[in-house]
Every structure is written in C-alpha cells, then in structure tokens.
C-alpha cells in the first residue's frame, strides 16, 4: 500500500471508531475493591465507586454518552467527581467535555492538557484534532507524579516520559493492586505509537519495562486497548514482541532498506497471526517501528 493510501485508510479510522462507539454496547467487567472496567467506547475505562463519588480513568468517546451514563448509574447513584486522563487521544479524552460539564475535576499530565487545548495534528493518521470544549480541558495537571486518596484507595499517578505519546501516565490503585497503564499496553494487538506528540518504539519498550517493574503476578493490569482484564505474564509477552520486532526492523534499516522494503520483508511475520488483527495491521506497525530505529 502506498503511504498516501495508508494515510487515507488511517484517517477513515477516526470516523470508523466514532461510529462504532456510537452504536456499541458498554460491557461491564467487575474487578475488585469496587473497581470496574467499562469496555466499548474507545479505550478501556476504569471506574472506582464509593462515597467520594465515581472516579473515572479515561472518558471514552463523547458519542457514547447515553450508554456510558447508563453503565455508570448501574454502578452507583453518585456523580462522577474525578476523571483522570491517561493521555490526550480522542478515544480516551473525547468524553471529557460532558463529564466535565457535570462538575468533575479532570486530572492529567501537563502535556495532555497542552494537546487537548490546541489544534493537534497526528501525522500518521493525517488528521487534525480540534481543541476540546472548555469543560473538557483538565483542571489539574502535574509533571512527574501525583497521588490522591479516594474511596479508600491510594491512587498513584506516574508519568512515563516519552512512550505512546509524551504525556502518558499510569494509575495504580494501591490497596486493590490494580494498574491502569493506558496505551503503553495493547493486549494481544499491535499498538499505535504517536510520534507527532512525542511517542516512540523505544519509549514504548521503556514503558513496558516500567509496567513490569510496577506489577507482580497478582496485579490486575488494565491495557488501553484489547482484552481489558490482563496480567503480568501477558504484559511480558507484549514487551517481548515489541523488542523482537524492534530488532528485526532495526536490522533491515541498518542494511539500508527503505521503509517500503522493510514492510515488504515482513519483519513481524511470526507475530501477525496473534497480534495483527486489529486497527494497526502488520504494515502499519512496521512503519511505526521503522520511524523510531
Ligand atoms: Zn492512544
């Protein structure tokens, strides 16, 4: 596929993802300590319920508001009081606007607020995202770490440094031992890497190492995309896939192969049956890795 055709296809994906979220039913996965995952509106959303109100990790896509409202009210009659964004991408932060309108405090990394406040181009999607409405812009930002105690849980937020973007954070629910890692981890599918806002393959690998260091075999790990209830063993497999493909693509680049030649050499081949069946197909993923080695 020519780069132009690939971009056109990718641009269509934004509409495709929005249309699918508008129709999609929200699936509810109960974890432990009143933590639930809501799946079906863009990225995986985590919700912590309790007397301090609902605490959401990511907001999904705005068009899912009716289904999301219904899923939230099935968990608790409390309003959403806090929303934490793992990063700025529309499939995680587009719902900020309606949740912010309801008075929720919105917390994020400072780079996330920057990207949500301006016209932001994503080169690999050939797409310009417009700024969020004022109600959706984070009200509180931090640069390295931030912690909160809500509903009996110690919430520890941590910036990765450059990873999938340069504003990704993890959120650890301490007592429950549940870790939301945003889009630094796509469970069972090739990940997108957003070079336009500071992401890179090496940053993704470094973030995977940080996630492995922050978890044990008992930790429930919530990926940004893919099967929403995951664990350290599956995360390790994701990390090893990234490292092997990075080495394969770097070897081709060192030998002087162009990007298209690298794609044609199929450096992801042994992983494609398992990882190549979602939005980021083997060719797209190879191009993303090539850009960073
Ligand atoms: Zn993302």
């Amino acid at each position: 596929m020519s780069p132009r055709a690939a971009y056109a296809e990718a641009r269509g994906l934004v509409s495709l993802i929005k249309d699918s979220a508008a129709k999609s039913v929200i699936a509810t996965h109960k974890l432990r300590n009143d933590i639930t995952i809501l799946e079906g509106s863009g990225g995986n959303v985590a919700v912590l319920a309790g007397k301090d109100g609902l605490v959401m990790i990511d907001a999904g896509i705005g068009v899912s508001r009716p289904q999301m409202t219904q899923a939230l009210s099935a968990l608790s009659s409390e309003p959403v009081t806090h929303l934490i964004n793992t990063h700025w991408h529309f499939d995680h932060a587009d719902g900020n606007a309606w949740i912010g309108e309801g008075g929720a405090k919105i917390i994020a990394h400072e780079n996330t607020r920057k990207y949500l406040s301006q016209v932001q181009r994503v080169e690999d999607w050939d797409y310009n995202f417009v700024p969020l409405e004022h109600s959706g812009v984070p009200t509180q930002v931090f640069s390295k770490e931030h912690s909160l105690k809500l509903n009996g849980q110690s919430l520890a937020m941590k910036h990765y440094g450059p990873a999938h973007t340069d504003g990704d954070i993890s959120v650890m629910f301490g007592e429950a031992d549940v870790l939301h890692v945003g889009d630094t981890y796509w469970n069972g599918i090739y990940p997108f890497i957003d070079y336009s806002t500071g992401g890179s393959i090496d940053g993704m690998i470094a973030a995977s190492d940080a996630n492995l260091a922050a978890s044990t075999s008992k930790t429930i790990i919530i990926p940004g995309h893919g099967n929403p209830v995951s664990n350290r063993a599956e995360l390790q497999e994701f990390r090893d896939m990234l490292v092997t493909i990075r080495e394969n693509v770097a070897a081709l680049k060192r030998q002087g192969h162009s990007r298209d030649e690298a794609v044609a050499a199929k450096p992801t081949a042994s992983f494609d049956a398992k990882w190549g069946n979602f939005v980021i197909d083997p060719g797209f993923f190879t191009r993303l890795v090539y850009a960073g080695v």
Side-chain angles (χ1 to χ4, degrees):
M1 195 186 300
S2 73
R4 182 171 287 277
Y7 289 154
E9 186 183 272
R11 188 173 52 222
L13 280 174
V14 175
S15 320
L16 200 77
I17 292 167
K18 280 194 178 173
D19 291 349
S20 139
K23 285 177 282 196
S24 181
V25 176
I26 302 284
T28 296
H29 307 262
K30 296 236 177 206
L31 303 182
R32 54 194 179 211
N33 303 60
D34 292 314
I35 299 169
T36 305
I37 302 172
L38 302 180
E39 179 191 20
S41 176
N44 294 319
V45 171
V47 185
L48 168 66
K51 60 177 174 34
D52 297 326
L54 293 173
V55 180
M56 293 179 75
I57 315 299
D58 283 344
I61 302 173
V63 291
S64 311
R65 180 178 181 168
Q67 302 95 302
M68 194 58 95
T69 304
Q70 196 178 21
L72 290 169
S73 59
L75 297 178
S76 161
S77 55
E78 298 283 338
V80 179
T81 55
H82 296 76
L83 164 62
I84 299 167
N85 287 136
T86 60
H87 63 298
W88 75 275
H89 283 155
F90 84 102
D91 51 332
H92 302 258
D94 186 63
N96 278 22
W98 73 266
I99 294 165
E101 261 169 37
K105 189 181 227 184
I106 305 179
I107 303 160
H109 186 264
E110 57 192 13
N111 291 342
T112 296
R113 180 166 71 184
K114 181 178 76 181
Y115 299 134
L116 289 175
S117 307
Q118 65 194 22
V119 175
Q120 184 57 55
R121 179 167 179 76
V122 174
E123 205 60 48
D124 284 307
W125 293 50
D126 190 18
Y127 200 95
N128 296 315
F129 291 90
V130 297
L132 266 187
E133 286 166 50
H134 183 71
S135 63
V137 175
T139 51
Q140 188 179 355
V141 297
F142 62 94
S143 62
K144 286 200 156 49
E145 291 182 351
H146 186 64
S147 53
L148 279 174
K149 183 101 185 185
L150 290 166
N151 295 330
Q153 287 294 317
S154 308
L155 279 79
M157 290 154 250
K158 211 176 208 173
H159 183 226
Y160 288 100
H164 162 78
T165 66
D166 61 13
D168 304 285
I169 59 163
S170 58
V171 183
M172 182 67 164
F173 298 88
E175 290 76 2
D177 195 12
V178 172
L179 179 64
H180 196 314
V181 298
D183 277 2
T184 66
Y185 174 33
W186 296 42
N187 188 12
I189 47 187
Y190 290 138
F192 180 56
I193 304 171
D194 185 359
Y195 288 82
S196 291
T197 57
S200 70
I201 178 64
D202 288 346
M204 285 292 281
I205 293 169
S208 295
D209 288 336
N211 290 334
L212 288 167
S215 57
T216 70
S217 61
K218 295 190 179 67
T219 308
I220 294 177
I221 300 175
I222 307 173
H225 297 276
N227 194 352
V229 186
S230 189
N231 56 50
R232 198 173 186 280
E234 290 177 342
L235 172 66
Q236 180 76 54
E237 209 185 324
F238 174 77
R239 186 261 179 205
D240 294 345
M241 175 275 292
L242 293 182
V243 169
T244 304
I245 291 177
R246 188 216 179 278
E247 290 318 310
N248 292 349
V249 174
L252 290 165
K253 198 167 179 177
R254 271 197 307 272
Q255 291 156 21
H257 292 292
S258 70
R259 191 179 69 165
D260 287 350
E261 287 166 355
V263 170
K266 300 191 188 309
T268 65
S270 62
F271 295 96
D272 291 348
K274 169 162 184 180
W275 302 86
N277 303 305
F278 192 56
V279 178
I280 309 301
D281 64 26
F284 196 167
F285 188 56
T286 303
R287 290 193 295 274
L288 291 173
V289 175
Y290 189 92
V293 296

